Amino acid sequence: MTEGSSRKEALVALALEARKKAYAPYSHFPVGAALLAESGQVYAGCNVENASYGLSICAERVALFKAVAAGEQRFKAIAVVTETMATPCGSCRQVLAEFGDDELQVIVADPEGQTEIYTLGELLPASFTSKDLPPFG
Ligand code: THU
């Protein structure tokens, strides 16, 4: 087994575990995410819905915000587990692009462990980031 594939399997396993904690009584679509920081630490997240619907938050953003709050700003990969091997939504892609470069690996998986790997650059080409803002100050 290569280092890459064992890393992928470990991240998917953590995302699958996180998915068990999803609070998704409205959509019945639990999502789990596991984000690998450059430090080697992994931050897990699940979707957390709300009766007001619009305040619901995706698993990927929960994982990312936990990581940033813990002091991390550089990331290597994220695994996302859904029933349908869904790729992250547009909002999550944009939020990931704030901290991840185009090479960030996005591993999508289903509960049976089937996987597909994308890069963030593939999922959000020509992204809008701080490089597009004029210098300030
Ligand atoms: N969801 C995620 O957690 N991640 C995504 O990338 C797509 C959607 C959640 C939001 C909501 O709780 C449920 O899945 C249905 O959209």
Side-chain angles (χ1 to χ4, degrees), residues 5-119:
S5 76
S6 64
R7 179 177 95 175
K8 181 179 83 173
E9 282 157 23
L11 263 190
V12 168
L14 289 168
L16 191 58
E17 207 48 39
R19 185 170 172 265
K20 293 182 188 159
K21 311 250 175 46
Y23 178 71
Y26 307 107
S27 72
H28 303 286
F29 188 71
V31 184
L35 178 65
L36 174 64
E38 273 187 9
S39 67
Q41 280 293 320
V42 176
Y43 298 85
C46 60
N47 51 336
V48 182
E49 298 185 345
N50 190 274
S52 73
Y53 285 34
L55 288 178
S56 301
I57 185 165
C58 294
E60 297 90 324
R61 273 176 284 159
V62 170
L64 182 78
F65 295 158
K66 275 172 69 180
V68 173
E72 307 276 7
Q73 297 198 356
R74 305 288 312 157
F75 303 100
K76 289 184 175 173
I78 185 167
V80 184
V81 176
T82 62
E83 190 63 45
T84 57
M85 287 178 68
T87 53
C89 78
S91 297
C92 289
R93 295 177 197 198
Q94 178 65 28
V95 171
L96 286 168
E98 182 72 21
F99 296 100
D101 50 28
D102 278 356
E103 282 69 52
L104 180 91
Q105 277 201 335
V106 180
I107 303 155
V108 301
D110 68 13
E112 282 70 50
Q114 201 181 320
T115 59
E116 193 106 37
I117 303 185
Y118 302 87
T119 63

